[in-house]
Short mmCIF file of all heavy atoms in Angstrom, two decimals:
data_model
loop_
_atom_site.label_atom_id
_atom_site.label_comp_id
_atom_site.label_asym_id
_atom_site.label_seq_id
_atom_site.Cartn_x
_atom_site.Cartn_y
_atom_site.Cartn_z
N ILE A 22 58.76 -31.25 17.25
CA ILE A 22 58.94 -31.42 18.70
C ILE A 22 57.59 -31.53 19.38
O ILE A 22 57.36 -32.41 20.21
CB ILE A 22 59.75 -30.24 19.28
CG1 ILE A 22 61.19 -30.25 18.74
CG2 ILE A 22 59.74 -30.28 20.80
CD1 ILE A 22 61.98 -28.98 19.04
N GLN A 31 50.29 -38.52 25.45
CA GLN A 31 49.17 -39.44 25.30
C GLN A 31 49.53 -40.84 25.81
O GLN A 31 48.74 -41.48 26.48
CB GLN A 31 48.73 -39.54 23.83
CG GLN A 31 48.02 -38.33 23.33
CD GLN A 31 46.58 -38.31 23.75
OE1 GLN A 31 46.25 -38.32 24.92
NE2 GLN A 31 45.69 -38.29 22.77
N TYR A 35 51.19 -36.91 30.89
CA TYR A 35 51.96 -35.66 30.90
C TYR A 35 52.97 -35.61 32.04
O TYR A 35 54.13 -35.24 31.83
CB TYR A 35 51.00 -34.46 30.99
CG TYR A 35 51.73 -33.16 31.22
CD1 TYR A 35 52.37 -32.54 30.16
CD2 TYR A 35 51.82 -32.60 32.48
CE1 TYR A 35 53.08 -31.36 30.36
CE2 TYR A 35 52.52 -31.43 32.68
CZ TYR A 35 53.15 -30.81 31.62
OH TYR A 35 53.85 -29.66 31.83
N MET A 40 61.75 -33.70 29.55
CA MET A 40 62.27 -32.98 28.39
C MET A 40 63.26 -33.85 27.61
O MET A 40 63.31 -33.79 26.39
CB MET A 40 62.92 -31.66 28.81
CG MET A 40 61.91 -30.62 29.29
SD MET A 40 60.83 -29.99 27.98
CE MET A 40 61.85 -28.66 27.32
N ILE A 43 61.32 -36.06 25.38
CA ILE A 43 60.78 -35.30 24.25
C ILE A 43 61.86 -35.09 23.20
O ILE A 43 61.64 -35.30 22.00
CB ILE A 43 60.18 -33.95 24.72
CG1 ILE A 43 58.95 -34.18 25.61
CG2 ILE A 43 59.82 -33.07 23.52
CD1 ILE A 43 58.43 -32.94 26.31
N ARG A 71 47.41 -24.69 19.87
CA ARG A 71 47.26 -25.09 18.46
C ARG A 71 45.95 -25.88 18.29
O ARG A 71 45.20 -25.65 17.35
CB ARG A 71 48.46 -25.91 18.02
CG ARG A 71 48.44 -26.28 16.56
CD ARG A 71 49.63 -27.09 16.18
NE ARG A 71 49.53 -28.37 16.89
CZ ARG A 71 50.44 -29.31 16.86
NH1 ARG A 71 51.55 -29.15 16.20
NH2 ARG A 71 50.26 -30.45 17.50
N ARG A 75 42.65 -24.70 16.19
CA ARG A 75 42.12 -25.57 15.12
C ARG A 75 40.64 -25.87 15.37
O ARG A 75 39.82 -25.81 14.46
CB ARG A 75 42.94 -26.85 15.04
CG ARG A 75 42.55 -27.76 13.88
CD ARG A 75 43.35 -29.05 13.85
NE ARG A 75 43.11 -29.84 15.05
CZ ARG A 75 44.04 -30.19 15.93
NH1 ARG A 75 45.30 -29.86 15.75
NH2 ARG A 75 43.74 -30.91 16.99
N LEU A 77 38.49 -24.10 17.16
CA LEU A 77 37.69 -22.88 16.99
C LEU A 77 37.54 -22.54 15.51
O LEU A 77 36.48 -22.12 15.07
CB LEU A 77 38.32 -21.72 17.75
CG LEU A 77 38.21 -21.79 19.27
CD1 LEU A 77 39.03 -20.68 19.90
CD2 LEU A 77 36.77 -21.72 19.73
N GLY A 79 37.54 -24.66 13.10
CA GLY A 79 36.60 -25.64 12.56
C GLY A 79 35.16 -25.27 12.84
O GLY A 79 34.26 -25.57 12.06
N LYS A 119 50.90 -20.49 32.02
CA LYS A 119 50.44 -19.23 31.44
C LYS A 119 50.50 -18.10 32.45
O LYS A 119 50.86 -16.97 32.10
CB LYS A 119 49.02 -19.39 30.87
CG LYS A 119 48.94 -20.29 29.66
CD LYS A 119 49.85 -19.89 28.53
CE LYS A 119 49.24 -18.81 27.69
NZ LYS A 119 50.03 -18.49 26.50
N GLU A 128 49.42 -9.13 24.92
CA GLU A 128 48.13 -9.34 24.27
C GLU A 128 47.78 -8.09 23.47
O GLU A 128 47.96 -6.97 23.92
CB GLU A 128 47.03 -9.60 25.31
CG GLU A 128 47.27 -10.84 26.13
CD GLU A 128 47.27 -12.10 25.30
OE1 GLU A 128 46.43 -12.24 24.41
OE2 GLU A 128 48.14 -12.95 25.54
N GLN A 141 38.26 -12.23 22.39
CA GLN A 141 37.75 -11.59 21.18
C GLN A 141 36.36 -12.11 20.83
O GLN A 141 35.51 -11.35 20.36
CB GLN A 141 38.72 -11.81 20.01
CG GLN A 141 40.05 -11.12 20.19
CD GLN A 141 39.90 -9.62 20.33
OE1 GLN A 141 39.15 -8.99 19.58
NE2 GLN A 141 40.60 -9.03 21.26
N TRP A 143 34.15 -13.27 23.07
CA TRP A 143 33.24 -12.67 24.05
C TRP A 143 32.93 -11.22 23.63
O TRP A 143 31.78 -10.78 23.71
CB TRP A 143 33.83 -12.65 25.45
CG TRP A 143 34.35 -13.91 26.06
CD1 TRP A 143 35.42 -14.00 26.90
CD2 TRP A 143 33.85 -15.25 25.96
NE1 TRP A 143 35.63 -15.29 27.29
CE2 TRP A 143 34.68 -16.08 26.75
CE3 TRP A 143 32.80 -15.83 25.26
CZ2 TRP A 143 34.48 -17.46 26.86
CZ3 TRP A 143 32.60 -17.20 25.38
CH2 TRP A 143 33.43 -17.99 26.17
#
Side-chain angles (χ1 to χ4, degrees):
I22 294 168
Q31 287 280 60
Y35 171 78
M40 290 292 273
I43 294 170
R71 184 181 66 184
R75 185 182 63 240
L77 289 172
K119 292 305 277 186
E128 298 297 318
Q141 294 300 316
W143 307 146

